[in-house]
Amino acid sequence: MLHKPTGVVTANKDRELPTVMDLLPPDIQSDMLYAVGRLDRDTTGLLLLTDNGPLGFQLLHPQYHVDKTYQVEVNGLLTPDHIQAFQKGIVFLDGTVCKPARLEILSASPSLSQASITISEGKFHQVKKMFLSVGVKVTSLKRIQFGEFTLDPELAEGQYRPLNQEELKIIKNYLEKSG
């Protein structure tokens, strides 16, 4: 489990920018290790790193609908109408249809609102585009949950840790489903 900081790309190598692999000590870096899912350079939060291909497939493939939850701040007012729009499924300007999402407004004002959003797919810049489609811009985005995995609150940005026994049981269950 890695708490990805802002400014770091979700990649194994990059010629210009630091990567999530650069956050790991050399003795555990490996060409076989990869991030399960991607987070934009300016998005923080939960990343799982693995060398287990079937696990990555299980967590990422659309047929399994693994939920991802984010904390989000936007530059405008969120209302109950937005909750309903997300429940129906947001449609981007290019016609792309998103599956229904769960939006929970945590605080709202005309210039800044905070919310939690749960999606079950992972389109390119999906969360940011969903909010733009309803007229507000994301100013901060942090993934706090990926399937049954929750970002460890003790893990500072840029830190990682091995999975604990409970999380390893979750892995075993995912692998048995795909077996």
Side-chain angles (χ1 to χ4, degrees):
M1 178 179 293
L2 174 77
H3 188 165
K4 182 194 162 302
T6 190
V8 174
V9 294
T10 306
N12 283 31
K13 294 181 183 355
D14 190 279
R15 291 182 184 186
E16 298 173 16
L17 300 168
T19 71
V20 293
M21 295 303 162
D22 295 331
L23 299 171
L24 305 175
D27 63 315
I28 65 170
Q29 291 182 15
S30 163
D31 289 340
M32 301 299 291
L33 198 62
Y34 67 96
V36 179
R38 300 181 66 82
L39 292 175
D40 299 340
R41 182 172 40 149
D42 57 349
T43 300
T44 65
L46 174 61
L47 266 182
L48 298 174
L49 304 175
T50 186
D51 61 359
N52 186 313
L55 173 65
F57 178 82
Q58 177 78 21
L59 290 169
L60 293 174
H61 199 277
Q63 81 185 49
Y64 296 107
H65 307 290
V66 175
D67 286 348
K68 294 162 275 303
T69 301
Y70 298 82
Q71 288 177 339
V72 62
E73 285 186 1
V74 298
N75 68 349
L77 183 64
L78 291 176
T79 68
D81 289 343
H82 292 116
I83 294 172
Q84 291 177 351
F86 278 72
Q87 286 174 339
K88 289 179 184 174
I90 297 293
V91 180
F92 296 157
L93 293 174
D94 68 3
T96 301
V97 178
C98 295
K99 291 182 179 175
R102 188 172 68 248
L103 178 66
E104 178 185 353
I105 299 170
L106 305 174
S107 67
S109 76
S111 60
L112 174 73
S113 296
Q114 297 177 322
S116 164
I117 179 172
T118 301
I119 60 173
S120 64
E121 54 191 346
K123 294 177 179 5
F124 184 70
H125 294 295
Q126 179 175 346
V127 173
K128 293 175 182 177
K129 288 179 180 178
M130 290 172 82
F131 282 99
L132 280 175
S133 294
V134 297
V136 292
K137 182 179 179 184
V138 170
T139 57
S140 175
L141 187 61
K142 178 180 186 178
R143 181 162 56 202
I144 57 172
Q145 193 159 5
F146 190 115
E148 297 176 60
F149 296 93
T150 301
L151 180 62
D152 185 337
E154 302 293 315
L155 212 53
E157 283 189 24
Q159 291 187 328
Y160 71 94
R161 68 161 174 78
L163 298 182
N164 61 35
Q165 288 303 312
E166 187 176 312
E167 292 161 340
L168 290 171
K169 287 179 187 172
I170 295 169
I171 296 281
K172 185 175 185 237
N173 289 339
Y174 276 114
L175 291 173
E176 286 173 353
K177 285 182 197 173
S178 67

